[in-house]
Amino acid sequence: MTLPELTTARLRLRQLVAADREAVVKVFADPEMSRFFAADFSDPGAASAMVDRRLAYRGPAGQGHWVLERDGEVIGVAHLRPSSELPGGVPELGYYVASAHAGQGLATEAAEAVLDHGLGTLGLPAIWALVHEDNAASRAVAGRLGFLDVGTGVHYGDLHRVLVALPTGHGRPHHVELWVPDLAEAERSWGWLLGELGWREFQRWPAGVSWRLGGTYLVVEASPALSATAHERTRPGLNHLALHVATRAEVDALAARAPGHGWRALFADRYPYAGGTAHYAAYLENEAGFEVELVALEGPPPATS
């Protein structure tokens, strides 16, 4: 598994490798680094075992463990990985900067880079952090990054604040508008599909209707300003919409029921991997020629030998 390299104004975050063992053990040699841990990582053996655990990590693509480099020197570590302490394996962020480099905003810089990677690049719905109740400095970092304090709990053997960061609305879709030749047909196909995915009717007027999910809505309208009578997805313009579906089983169920609601399967001979073996999806087209792609958030099943 390869992690992307992240850069900030002063730091380079790159994937932890075995050759970093000595440098990471040196970072944790100061007993102050273990002040809020149940283990004493100033013991080289304990620190080396901690490095082993990080090197052995196998998890979702794009998540894992980074070292923090400043001018070529390893000065800390950071991680984004499924939590072993919170239910559901939600993604958990951690960041540690050597005591000699504390108080310079470097922890904030590193954590912000990992947070942006998780919420922006990976599109995670939320990122969690567990910060020791008495670790005022780390709690201040989380506060600057917009984490919300949602309570306390005993984690990693002691009382921790439970914090969560959520995506902002900046840059996200506000709405999508489709001009359709037949409003009734559009309602039959789009209304069924969006309803199955949790969208709810939002607005209605003589020439159109919209459905909303969260902060985004989708409009279908038989506009009097239409300049053609048919949609052609292979021409310049909208080719298709791709929507998330929670599980592979739900993709299968929707694909099986879609023909009864105005949709036909595309690329059926390559289902469910028409988009590649790492992409579990159904491709559907309605009677007006609009295409939708239903992508399983769950991802493809693991390969079998």
Side-chain angles (χ1 to χ4, degrees):
M1 179 183 301
T2 302
L3 278 180
E5 183 174 300
L6 310 175
T7 57
T8 72
R10 296 176 290 175
L11 297 174
R12 174 190 180 211
L13 285 70
R14 59 167 179 79
Q15 184 168 349
L16 172 74
V17 296
D20 296 315
R21 182 185 306 278
E22 183 177 346
V24 174
V25 170
K26 181 180 177 182
V27 164
F28 284 91
D30 181 354
E32 182 64 21
M33 291 291 292
S34 298
R35 181 179 171 192
F36 301 110
F37 288 112
D40 179 11
F41 294 123
S42 65
D43 171 10
S48 184
M50 178 263 286
V51 173
D52 284 336
R53 289 191 295 274
R54 290 173 180 258
L55 289 172
Y57 167 82
R58 298 293 182 271
Q63 299 186 45
H65 298 264
W66 290 264
V67 291
L68 281 49
E69 282 189 348
R70 186 183 191 186
D71 299 326
E73 176 189 2
V74 173
I75 65 163
V77 293
H79 66 254
L80 178 65
R81 50 158 176 74
S83 179
S84 60
E85 292 284 320
L86 296 173
V90 295
E92 182 183 330
L93 169 68
Y95 43 88
Y96 312 97
V97 172
S99 302
H101 297 268
Q104 301 174 46
L106 294 169
T108 302
E109 210 169 291
E112 183 175 26
V114 177
L115 187 65
D116 287 348
H117 167 68
L119 294 178
T121 304
L122 300 183
L124 298 174
I127 292 176
W128 297 77
L130 296 171
V131 178
H132 194 282
E133 179 73 24
D134 297 329
N135 192 343
S138 192
R139 288 174 63 182
V141 168
R144 286 192 289 273
L145 295 177
F147 276 86
L148 304 174
D149 190 326
V150 295
T152 60
V154 175
H155 299 286
Y156 301 114
D158 209 344
L159 193 64
H160 281 65
R161 304 302 302 184
V162 181
L163 310 168
V164 62
L166 303 171
T168 69
H170 181 75
R172 293 180 174 271
H174 182 269
H175 73 275
V176 176
E177 184 164 331
L178 306 178
W179 282 15
V180 299
D182 184 330
L183 183 59
E185 187 281 325
E187 281 202 64
R188 176 175 174 248
S189 55
W190 285 109
W192 169 79
L193 180 59
L194 295 176
E196 291 294 306
L197 295 175
W199 297 64
R200 295 294 177 262
E201 187 173 317
F202 177 45
Q203 296 169 321
R204 179 176 289 274
W205 60 103
V209 61
S210 67
W211 297 269
R212 184 169 189 161
L213 181 65
T216 302
Y217 62 95
L218 185 144
V219 177
V220 296
E221 181 176 9
S223 171
L226 278 170
S227 61
T229 58
H231 169 70
E232 174 48 72
R233 60 184 173 81
T234 63
R235 292 176 181 169
L238 177 75
N239 177 265
H240 70 279
L241 292 179
L243 302 171
H244 281 305
V245 178
T247 66
R248 297 187 295 270
E250 288 175 277
V251 170
D252 292 341
L254 288 168
R257 292 161 53 207
H261 299 274
W263 298 94
R264 71 176 185 89
L266 296 173
F267 322 119
D269 59 322
R270 289 181 282 153
Y271 180 82
Y273 299 115
T277 56
H279 192 73
Y280 196 102
Y283 295 81
L284 307 171
E285 182 183 55
N286 71 3
E287 293 173 10
F290 287 93
E291 179 185 343
V292 67
E293 178 182 353
L294 304 177
V295 185
L297 278 167
E298 187 180 20
T304 57
S305 56

